[in-house]
Amino acid sequence: MTLDRPDPDALLRQLQQDEHVARRGKLKIFFGASAGVGKTYAMLLAAQEAQRNGIDVLVGLVETHGRRETLALLDGLPQLPLKTLSYRERNLLEFDLDAALARHPALILVDELAHANAPGSRHPRRWQDIDELLAAGIDVYTTVNVQHLESLNDVVGGITGVRVAETVPDTVFDQADEVVLVDLPPDELLRRLKQGKVYLPAQAERAAQSFFRKGNLIALRELALRRTADRVDADVRAYRDAQSIQRVWETRDTLLVCIGPRPGAEKIVRAAARLAERLNADWHAVYVETHQLQRLRESERQRILKVLALAQELGAQATTIAGEDVAAALLDYARTHNISRVVIGRAGGQRWWQPSVAQRLARQAFDLDVIQVARDGSDAPLGSKAWAADGRALADDPVRPWPYVWALLASVATTGLAALLFPYFELANIVMVFLLSVMGVALYCGRGPAALAAVVNVLVFDFFFVQPRFSFAVSDAQYLLTFAVMLAVGLITGQLTARLRYQLRVTEQRESRARALYEMARDLSGALTTDQVIALSNRSLTAGFNAATTLLLPDQHERLLLSAEPEAQRLAVLDVAIAQWAYDHAQPAGAGTDTLPSSARLYLPLKAPMRCRGVLAILPKVPRWLMVPEQRRQLDTFASLIAIALERVHYADVARSALVQMESERLRNSLLSALSHDLRTPLTALVGLAEALVRAEPPLAPEPAVLATALHRESLRMSTLVVNLLDMARLEAGAVQLRLEWQGLEEVVGTALAACGHSLAQHHIVTDMPADLPLVQFDAVLIERVLCNLIENALKYTPPGSTIRISAIPSGKKVCLTVADDGPGLPAGQVGTLFDKFARGVNESAIPGVGLGLAICRAIIEAHGGSIDGTSNADGGASFIITLPAGVPPSVEPESQP
């Protein structure tokens, strides 16, 4: 009877994890396929039940969307007041995290896990607020839809045509203590939508035409069910691990296909792939490498690796594991991964005393289904001549003579030692010396030399120490048994020692891979610059994989460039076109892949969470190891670490640049504000004095009058510049309060043209304002300022006699106001920067100005919730398009007739 004892290390890890979990609150997620299935309703029902059980329940934030049934469930539940945040002249209501932590209830309800918090909140996402609540020991109920899971975001977007911006990392969902699936059939959900129980009537009509189509709802329901099933499967595996349950539970169909060294493995893999597709099941492909199979010829090893690559291409998780007993290794893998079905090739030509792997699996694991698949062609036993066309598939490497020479020398040395001990010890003790020699040879030279040493030691013992000595004759028949036992013990001991040597080598390789991964992660975590990441990556990869490596990083135009490391210079002949393809498609290419496999190098894209950060080019000294699944997985892990390090360094640089820019802006605004205030009073006086000179009585002489007029004009220009500086500082400081009123755009256009007055005398002004133009809510003074700036800008850059057109058209929920001219147009490639402060189309120009007019325009329009953009017209000239939200003006009661 065997006892299944739990792993002590696993128990220790479980205890530490349980201690950590005990300090945190419990997270319960109500999960659904789409809005309207009843997640919030189910959450409130659970909260009411918890309150009846005496639990301190607090409603932190619940979105009822005006549904009466949901509002009714809030009765009797204490609610936390929401926090008000000001953003762009609007007040937004958000969840008050600090108040919730201070109140510290036993259970809090926070709806919409994927919600993006308003600017100014402590965390950018609501799931981060919830994580802080959990860390404080507060239990949380929350809700989320399937389209908000990060891993399914693009899948849902491809189905529905709608990509949501608010997502939740899958780790948050997977680490939840409980997930409750709230399901509703699509027909029932559509009926609720028509009844106005999901959205308001206007919103419901639009939703039914886009997102809420029946096909979309069916697909989303399947995704939600599958994701919940994956979550439950993970819970089952965690429970089995925690309870040390070895027996397989057939909770879901999962296949394990065994890839062996005999021909026909490709057929077995394809059969398993078809079966997995019919069952809609996950499947694993495993190759068990024993000590004997390590001596396969190179061509056979290449064939096995190709079969593993085929299985991976067909959707399997391919793995190579080491072990001496194939059946025991497969059984352990199946039970670890809770796999209920094993697919294996049918054994043929098996010796009667050697049961097949399928037979041993059937005897050892009654809870597994063993499926045997017929092979292609002959199926000769391992090592037979019929197995390979060129004779044997094993032991094809040239026999190395030195281990056998060392075995003979060890036997000679043992004989000399035994001769010295012979006068003082019995023969039984001398036998132990010879057995120790066999163990030493097996440990350092391997199985074959150990067998040779065992045979030679028996012969030497008989010849030199057994009566009659110096003869192979045996006087006592009992020594025949001694020789037989001695030979058997020597062979068995040598075999076991060689196995231990093999297992030690496998363990050392695994430990080496784990150590290399740890050291690289540690080193990369301390890298502060891109050059440090490149140097550390090249050093770690060269040492860990015995390969020449280099990193190719993109420039600002997304073209890959060789790094400046010496390794890159040595690999200067690499194919940058292949690397560019791998970068553009975010897929590996080159050796060991299906894309340009004839290349000598492997090109791995460095995929970080946000984007691809470059390409890793690898030139292995032994190309075969690129096809080993474990090596590829470790290499992919290394590439992910490099990509994350590069992205971390990138965002650290962005943060530093942003900090420097913020400080520069703060200093610049302070200087602008100070200068504006200090210059405004003397400039006002200067303008007044200049105007007094121009209008002086009696009039000045012609020459002084010209000077006075020029002085007045330039002082006005300087005053306008100072006003612009002051306005820019006030806008960026948020000191401007909008006085929003519903009014017509044609009125503000007229006042702006009147304000420009005499400046328009030499230009033609054309306005096109439709009679049915809707009222818009805006600050008339600021919008007039915008129009004046745009008109003055057009006057500066167009010659006299040019035409300036001002038009407005409604466009859905927006109103577009355009100021166009027929001048030279906007400078190519600078449209995006023209709205920056102190940006000008031509740096050195005789046209007056400092580049603040358009910046002020953008600040004012964005404060209104709109946008402004510039473009060059096809027939010449430039156009500036202002987009303002239309809104719904209040209804006006008609005056009653007397």
Side-chain angles (χ1 to χ4, degrees):
M1 180 179 178
T2 60
L3 295 176
D4 293 330
R5 298 182 182 274
D7 184 6
D9 293 334
L11 285 177
L12 179 60
R13 288 193 300 270
Q14 185 64 39
L15 288 174
Q16 293 173 345
Q17 183 179 357
D18 292 344
E19 182 181 358
H20 173 71
V21 170
R23 293 194 297 265
R24 286 176 61 87
K26 306 297 182 184
L27 176 61
K28 185 173 183 177
I29 297 177
F30 292 82
F31 183 53
S34 67
V37 297
K39 301 181 301 298
T40 305
Y41 189 87
M43 179 178 68
L44 289 173
L45 282 178
Q48 292 280 4
E49 179 67 23
Q51 189 180 52
R52 285 193 292 269
N53 292 332
I55 298 175
D56 181 16
V57 180
L58 177 66
V59 176
L61 186 147
V62 168
E63 298 287 353
T64 62
H65 299 287
R67 300 165 189 159
R68 291 190 300 273
E69 300 88 345
T70 307
L71 283 169
L73 289 177
L74 286 172
D75 292 341
L77 294 176
Q79 300 185 37
L80 186 72
L82 298 179
K83 179 173 61 175
T84 302
L85 293 175
S86 297
Y87 179 66
R88 291 186 175 179
E89 308 301 329
R90 290 182 294 176
N91 292 328
L92 303 177
L93 297 178
E94 287 289 348
F95 170 63
D96 194 342
L97 176 59
D98 292 325
L101 292 172
R103 170 71 165 72
H104 204 281
L107 171 63
I108 188 169
L109 277 60
V110 185
D111 210 355
E112 295 186 359
L113 178 64
H115 174 75
N117 293 330
S121 302
R122 181 183 307 175
H123 301 297
R125 300 288 183 180
R126 184 166 291 166
W127 64 264
Q128 295 170 316
D129 295 340
I130 291 177
D131 186 69
E132 188 168 344
L133 292 171
L134 295 173
I138 303 174
D139 296 344
V140 180
Y141 284 0
T142 187
T143 64
V144 72
N145 287 329
V146 67
Q147 66 263 29
H148 293 291
L149 294 183
E150 182 64 47
S151 63
L152 297 176
N153 182 255
D154 56 342
V155 177
V156 175
I159 294 172
T160 63
V162 178
R163 291 287 294 271
V164 296
E166 298 177 333
T167 59
V168 176
D170 284 52
T171 53
V172 177
F173 182 84
D174 294 332
Q175 293 172 3
D177 297 276
E178 186 177 355
V179 174
V180 178
L181 177 64
V182 182
D183 186 39
L184 196 66
D187 292 332
E188 178 65 18
L189 181 57
L190 291 173
R191 185 180 63 81
R192 286 172 51 83
L193 183 67
K194 292 180 180 178
Q195 293 174 351
K197 296 182 178 180
V198 179
Y199 294 124
L200 296 176
Q203 295 175 316
E205 183 178 355
R206 291 194 300 269
Q209 296 174 357
S210 56
F211 190 88
F212 277 79
R213 294 194 296 267
K214 185 173 181 179
N216 292 349
L217 297 179
I218 293 174
L220 292 176
R221 189 187 187 197
E222 181 180 2
L223 286 175
L225 291 171
R226 287 184 179 277
R227 191 62 180 84
T228 307
D230 293 339
R231 158 78 193 206
V232 174
D233 185 64
D235 291 342
V236 170
R237 289 199 303 271
Y239 179 82
R240 293 177 72 251
D241 292 340
Q243 301 297 324
S244 301
I245 298 174
Q246 297 295 325
R247 182 174 177 179
V248 174
W249 289 359
E250 297 186 26
T251 54
R252 65 182 301 174
D253 289 324
T254 311
L255 302 180
L256 171 63
V257 56
C258 177
I259 297 175
R262 295 184 175 90
E266 294 89 347
K267 180 181 178 182
I268 300 171
V269 167
R270 294 189 181 98
R274 292 193 299 270
L275 181 59
E277 184 177 1
R278 284 197 295 268
L279 296 175
N280 196 18
D282 298 330
W283 62 297
H284 301 244
V286 173
Y287 169 64
V288 181
E289 186 174 49
T290 64
H291 184 274
Q292 182 186 18
L293 295 180
Q294 274 201 322
R295 296 178 292 143
L296 287 173
R297 66 169 65 246
E298 183 65 22
S299 60
E300 292 298 323
R301 296 180 67 86
Q302 288 283 357
R303 183 178 60 79
I304 293 171
L305 292 175
K306 288 180 180 179
V307 174
L308 285 172
L310 173 64
Q312 202 162 7
E313 181 182 344
L314 294 176
Q317 179 179 333
T319 307
T320 299
I321 57 178
E324 282 301 313
D325 188 347
V326 177
L330 290 174
L331 181 58
D332 180 68
Y333 187 91
R335 286 178 170 167
T336 301
H337 294 80
N338 196 33
I339 299 174
S340 58
R341 299 185 183 184
V342 179
V343 180
I344 194 169
R346 182 182 300 159
Q350 200 74 24
R351 299 179 179 92
W352 61 270
W353 67 84
Q354 185 181 11
S356 66
V357 175
Q359 292 171 337
R360 282 182 284 161
L361 278 174
R363 284 201 301 263
Q364 298 176 26
F366 59 89
D367 52 342
L368 290 183
D369 296 333
V370 181
I371 303 172
Q372 297 190 51
V373 179
R375 300 176 185 270
D376 286 331
S378 61
D379 190 19
L382 187 65
S384 66
K385 291 184 179 180
W387 184 19
D390 56 353
R392 298 173 59 201
L394 293 175
D396 64 305
D397 295 332
V399 178
R400 295 176 297 170
W402 283 110
Y404 293 91
V405 173
W406 285 112
L408 294 176
L409 292 176
S411 297
V412 172
T414 304
T415 302
L417 178 61
L420 295 175
L421 299 175
F422 180 68
Y424 309 103
F425 293 92
E426 297 292 336
L427 288 180
N429 295 322
I430 300 299
V431 169
M432 297 297 104
V433 176
F434 283 101
L435 292 179
L436 181 62
S437 171
V438 173
M439 290 184 63
V441 172
L443 182 61
Y444 292 102
C445 298
R447 182 182 286 105
L452 175 63
V455 174
V456 172
N457 285 351
V458 169
L459 295 177
V460 169
F461 179 75
D462 179 25
F463 187 81
F464 288 103
F465 301 101
V466 176
Q467 298 295 336
R469 299 180 66 189
F470 308 108
S471 171
F472 289 108
V474 179
S475 60
D476 190 347
Q478 292 183 2
Y479 281 109
L480 295 176
L481 179 60
T482 301
F483 296 155
V485 173
M486 181 180 175
L487 180 61
V489 171
L491 292 175
I492 294 173
T493 304
Q495 177 80 1
L496 294 177
T497 306
R499 284 189 179 184
L500 289 175
R501 181 189 178 203
Y502 165 70
Q503 294 173 358
L504 175 63
R505 186 165 64 251
V506 171
T507 303
E508 288 176 345
Q509 291 175 353
R510 291 176 178 173
E511 192 273 337
S512 176
R513 289 198 294 264
R515 184 177 63 254
L517 192 62
Y518 163 74
E519 291 176 352
M520 185 174 186
R522 180 196 60 197
D523 295 340
L524 288 178
S525 64
L528 300 177
T529 64
T530 301
D531 291 338
Q532 290 179 349
V533 173
I534 293 173
L536 290 171
S537 303
N538 285 334
R539 184 170 67 247
S540 300
L541 291 169
T542 301
F545 292 92
N546 193 24
T549 63
T550 190
L551 291 177
L552 294 94
L553 304 181
D555 60 11
Q556 58 182 352
H557 303 295
E558 298 296 311
R559 306 304 301 176
L560 293 180
L561 300 175
L562 281 171
S563 60
E565 290 294 310
E567 195 70 22
Q569 303 302 322
R570 190 160 68 84
L571 287 178
V573 295
L574 58 80
D575 196 330
V576 180
I578 302 179
Q580 188 68 47
W581 185 94
Y583 175 78
D584 293 338
H585 295 81
Q587 295 180 6
T593 69
D594 295 331
T595 304
L596 301 172
S598 58
S599 175
R601 297 175 179 83
L602 172 64
Y603 300 88
L604 283 179
L606 301 176
K607 293 185 287 187
M610 296 303 296
R611 52 162 295 179
C612 188
R613 292 290 166 185
V615 170
L616 173 64
I618 306 148
L619 179 62
K621 294 184 179 179
V622 182
R624 177 175 58 84
W625 69 260
L626 288 176
M627 301 182 65
V628 179
E630 281 70 24
Q631 295 283 5
R632 277 299 302 273
R633 274 198 291 271
Q634 188 180 20
L635 191 57
D636 291 339
T637 304
F638 273 53
S640 297
L641 288 175
I642 296 171
I644 292 172
L646 289 172
E647 188 161 275
R648 176 179 57 80
V649 169
H650 167 74
Y651 282 115
D653 292 340
V654 170
R656 284 193 293 268
S657 300
L659 181 61
V660 171
Q661 186 176 2
M662 289 171 59
E663 292 299 328
S664 301
E665 289 293 324
R666 186 178 294 112
L667 178 60
R668 179 185 295 174
N669 290 337
S670 299
L671 290 174
L672 291 179
S673 179
L675 288 174
S676 300
H677 282 289
D678 292 341
L679 292 177
R680 195 171 188 180
T681 300
L683 277 175
T684 302
L686 179 62
V687 170
L689 293 174
E691 185 175 359
L693 287 175
V694 172
R695 299 181 179 181
E697 293 293 341
L700 298 175
E703 185 174 350
V706 172
L707 294 176
T709 303
L711 177 62
H712 183 239
R713 183 174 61 252
E714 293 303 319
S715 61
L716 283 175
R717 188 172 70 84
M718 182 63 70
S719 178
T720 302
L721 173 61
V722 171
V723 170
N724 283 338
L725 290 172
L726 183 59
D727 288 348
M728 194 73 237
R730 293 174 61 226
L731 285 169
E732 292 195 341
V736 177
Q737 297 293 329
L738 298 182
R739 296 183 178 181
L740 301 177
E741 296 180 359
W742 291 97
Q743 47 198 319
L745 285 175
E746 60 275 5
E747 296 179 6
V748 74
V749 170
T751 57
L753 292 174
C756 293
H758 63 278
S759 301
L760 303 176
Q762 297 181 351
H763 289 74
H764 301 289
I765 306 299
V766 178
T767 59
D768 182 11
M769 312 296 290
D772 59 347
L773 198 64
L775 297 179
V776 182
Q777 191 178 30
F778 59 85
D779 187 319
V781 175
L782 293 179
I783 295 300
E784 178 187 336
R785 181 66 179 280
V786 171
L787 290 173
C788 288
N789 284 354
L790 293 178
I791 294 171
E792 290 174 0
N793 191 73
L795 294 174
K796 290 179 183 179
Y797 291 94
T798 57
S802 302
T803 301
I804 299 175
R805 298 176 179 84
I806 304 176
S807 61
I809 57 171
S811 177
K813 294 183 179 181
K814 300 177 181 178
V815 175
C816 296
L817 181 62
T818 304
V819 178
D821 60 55
D822 52 4
L826 302 181
Q830 299 185 27
V831 177
T833 61
L834 287 179
F835 294 93
D836 296 338
K837 288 185 294 184
F838 304 105
R840 302 191 65 196
V842 180
N843 292 331
E844 299 294 336
S845 173
I847 300 175
V850 294
L852 279 178
L854 293 180
I856 293 175
C857 292
R858 182 174 67 176
I860 293 174
I861 295 301
E862 288 183 350
H864 283 77
S867 63
I868 182 171
D869 194 13
T871 182
S872 294
N873 301 328
D875 54 351
S879 295
F880 289 93
I881 301 98
I882 300 172
T883 303
L884 294 172
V888 179
S891 58
V892 179
E893 295 292 338
E895 296 182 0
S896 57
Q897 297 294 330

